[in-house]
Amino acid sequence: MRALVTGATGFVGGRLVRRLLDRGVGVRALVRDAGRASELAHAGAELHEADVLHAKSLDGSGSEVGAAYYLVHGMGRGSDAHFAERERHAARNFARMAAAEGVGRVIYLGGLGEHPSSQHLKSRHETAQILADEGPPLTYVRAGMVIGARSESYRTLRHLVARLPLMLAPGWLRTPTQPIDVEDAVAYLAEAAEKPRSAGREVQIGGPEVLSYGDMLDRMALALGRRPRPKIPVPLLSPSLSAHWIGLVTSVDAGVARPLIEGLSTETVVTDPSGAALFDIEPIPLDEALSRAVREEQQ
């Protein structure tokens, strides 16, 4: 089988390409700049230079492809309206190409959370709907926070713990979430193409624990060999102010931090485990995932 992977140079996409190659799957990596994807070519992936915002550039990318992975999602800057329209346009271009070129299945990684207030989580759900309506059968893999050394969410947690002796504690620190290690998330994605029963349905995935974001900060501190930081309750700290605060005290850009923070007000927990039950995967606990990410970052 040949698989097409968009977002192949990203945090999840790069790991997925290598996982598929290790499983003997031929990989065509869709990249915007082939010159910046030499590592993927050296690993054995075929490069196809294209941009999902430009439909013509996608021509031929789905040829002789059994499964296509859609891992494109910008965090966005500027107005939410413009961001959402770009995401819709990109998803339509990809879905129509996949249908026209006979791709067998599309697999999309989106987010958990029912009825989110965040425009970015809403956009992810809308992307899934467009892919399902206009493309081949869709496997909609839904995850909460994905833990790994290059994850913006992980980097935010890590820098907050490392740089602050105490923390402001907005209301969103009490929101429940169900984080998953990046390698476990990639395992679900890689196996999805081999699971016929996952076509046309959601696959909600998460680690074995449900906890609050405040608890995650404490566990991050322990993974770094530090004491959990005292927290000062600030219930009226808005997502916008929270994002500016994070931008000041961490290396995470405030433009990226804002959509991350807005999403934290939505519970991101698995509500239907039946899709994940199709897979023989046992996700690792959060403490192990954080320790693995710390080790990888140090290396």
Side-chain angles (χ1 to χ4, degrees):
M1 185 189 80
R2 182 188 299 274
L4 173 67
V5 180
T6 66
T9 58
F11 164 58
V12 173
R15 294 171 188 264
L16 177 61
V17 167
R18 289 170 175 80
R19 178 70 67 98
L20 291 171
L21 290 170
D22 288 344
R23 295 169 71 92
V25 176
V27 175
R28 180 178 295 146
L30 195 149
V31 297
R32 285 189 292 181
D33 183 355
R36 300 177 63 183
S38 58
E39 286 188 13
L40 297 179
H42 291 154
E46 171 195 346
L47 302 184
H48 183 98
E49 198 169 66
D51 186 335
V52 290
L53 289 171
H54 301 288
K56 192 66 179 173
S57 72
L58 294 171
D59 288 354
S61 60
S63 174
E64 299 181 353
V65 165
Y69 290 88
Y70 193 74
L71 305 178
V72 176
H73 187 82
M75 294 308 291
R77 288 178 177 81
S79 76
D80 285 334
H82 291 157
F83 163 80
E85 180 51 41
R86 286 195 303 273
E87 297 295 291
R88 288 191 290 268
H89 181 60
R92 288 192 191 99
N93 286 344
F94 188 82
R96 290 169 181 175
M97 174 281 296
E101 298 192 359
V103 172
R105 177 105 63 91
V106 171
I107 300 164
Y108 171 57
L109 178 61
L112 288 171
E114 306 303 321
H115 311 297
S117 58
S118 160
Q119 292 299 318
H120 292 262
L121 286 178
K122 287 180 181 177
S123 176
R124 292 197 175 202
H125 295 329
E126 187 173 21
T127 292
Q129 191 62 56
I130 291 170
L131 292 172
D133 289 345
E134 303 203 27
L138 177 70
T139 299
Y140 181 19
V141 181
R142 301 179 63 187
M145 184 181 292
V146 178
I147 302 296
R150 288 178 56 201
S151 159
E152 294 290 357
S153 301
Y154 164 81
R155 291 178 60 232
T156 301
L157 290 175
R158 192 229 186 282
H159 287 302
L160 284 174
V161 168
R163 297 187 179 186
L164 296 178
L166 53 85
M167 296 181 198
L168 302 180
W172 49 261
L173 280 186
R174 296 190 295 272
T175 305
T177 187
Q178 194 168 351
I180 186 169
D181 179 75
V182 63
E183 295 297 342
D184 289 330
V186 167
Y188 280 106
L189 292 169
E191 292 188 19
E194 303 168 4
K195 303 288 185 184
R197 291 173 60 197
S198 73
R201 66 169 301 161
E202 287 187 6
V203 177
Q204 298 185 22
I205 62 175
E209 300 156 273
V210 174
L211 68 170
S212 71
Y213 288 104
D215 292 334
M216 285 189 66
L217 285 168
D218 292 344
R219 305 276 277 274
M220 182 78 256
L222 295 172
L224 293 171
R226 300 171 183 241
R227 288 174 134 188
R229 298 315 198 218
K231 302 176 187 69
I232 303 173
V234 187
L236 299 180
L237 191 64
S238 70
S240 179
L241 288 175
S242 294
H244 284 298
W245 169 58
I246 287 173
L248 286 173
V249 301
T250 78
S251 62
V252 178
D253 184 274
V256 173
R258 178 164 183 170
L260 286 176
I261 296 302
E262 287 175 344
L264 300 185
S265 62
T266 298
E267 291 190 12
T268 50
V269 300
V270 172
T271 57
D272 179 3
S274 62
L278 300 174
F279 298 75
D280 187 21
I281 296 171
E282 188 173 345
I284 64 174
L286 175 62
D287 290 342
E288 188 175 341
L290 290 172
S291 295
R292 180 183 289 178
V294 170
R295 288 195 302 272
E296 182 179 340
E297 187 178 32
Q298 290 171 345
Q299 292 168 0

